[in-house]
Amino acid sequence: MPEQWKLICKVKDIPPGGARHVPRGLAWQELPGVAVFRTLEDRIFALLDSCPHQGGPLSQGAVLGEHVQCPRHQWNIALETGCAVAPEQGCTRRYTVKVEDGKVYLDLLELNAPASRAEAALAGTYGVAPLVRAYL
């Protein structure tokens, strides 16, 4: 694997039709993590763990096909794009996922990049995600 990929977990560690929360950032930054989803068809997706509506934790939502339903207001977010399903509007950040030999990897460069302008301002010169924990 190229050095830019960060091993996160094994596919079997994510329940079918469920998610796994991956923390990011320094403790004092209180940044939303990344939600890694596994559909019933074993497709893997990763989104910023923040609904575009009011920041609800998508990792706690129900996976319905290739959508996740926000636990706060039941907005449906497409796992492929991170965008809300019409008539709702808005998108959350999508992360590139690589699955190889039953292991899930996320792009470390994307994890280190701020997910919003507010996050960029908060990170300042320290960077955003020097600590991304793997759960193996």
Side-chain angles (χ1 to χ4, degrees):
M1 300 287 325
E3 290 180 4
Q4 77 177 30
W5 296 101
K6 175 72 176 174
L7 176 61
I8 300 299
C9 64
K10 295 177 182 175
V11 171
K12 68 179 184 178
D13 295 333
I14 308 168
R20 170 154 241 168
H21 175 81
V22 178
R24 45 187 289 281
L26 300 169
W28 58 267
Q29 290 174 313
E30 297 182 22
L31 302 177
V34 174
V36 181
F37 300 94
R38 177 181 175 191
T39 68
L40 293 177
E41 293 78 30
D42 287 334
R43 293 193 64 201
I44 306 294
F45 299 94
L47 301 175
L48 186 69
D49 196 15
S50 179
C51 178
H53 178 222
Q54 291 185 352
L58 295 176
S59 62
Q60 295 175 21
V63 176
L64 309 167
E66 293 199 2
H67 296 92
V68 61
Q69 189 174 69
C70 178
R72 288 192 183 162
H73 300 101
Q74 288 69 53
W75 276 35
N76 287 308
I77 310 299
L79 295 173
E80 182 81 39
T81 63
C83 292
V85 176
E88 314 306 348
Q89 295 182 352
C91 296
T92 194
R93 184 176 184 157
R94 185 181 66 80
Y95 291 87
T96 305
V97 175
K98 189 172 210 168
V99 178
E100 192 171 274
D101 297 325
K103 296 176 182 165
V104 178
Y105 298 84
L106 295 179
D107 185 315
L108 192 56
L109 298 175
E110 289 180 3
L111 289 170
N112 282 328
S116 67
R117 287 184 187 170
E119 214 173 88
L122 182 63
T125 59
Y126 297 104
V128 175
L131 174 61
V132 176
R133 293 183 209 100
Y135 295 98
L136 293 178

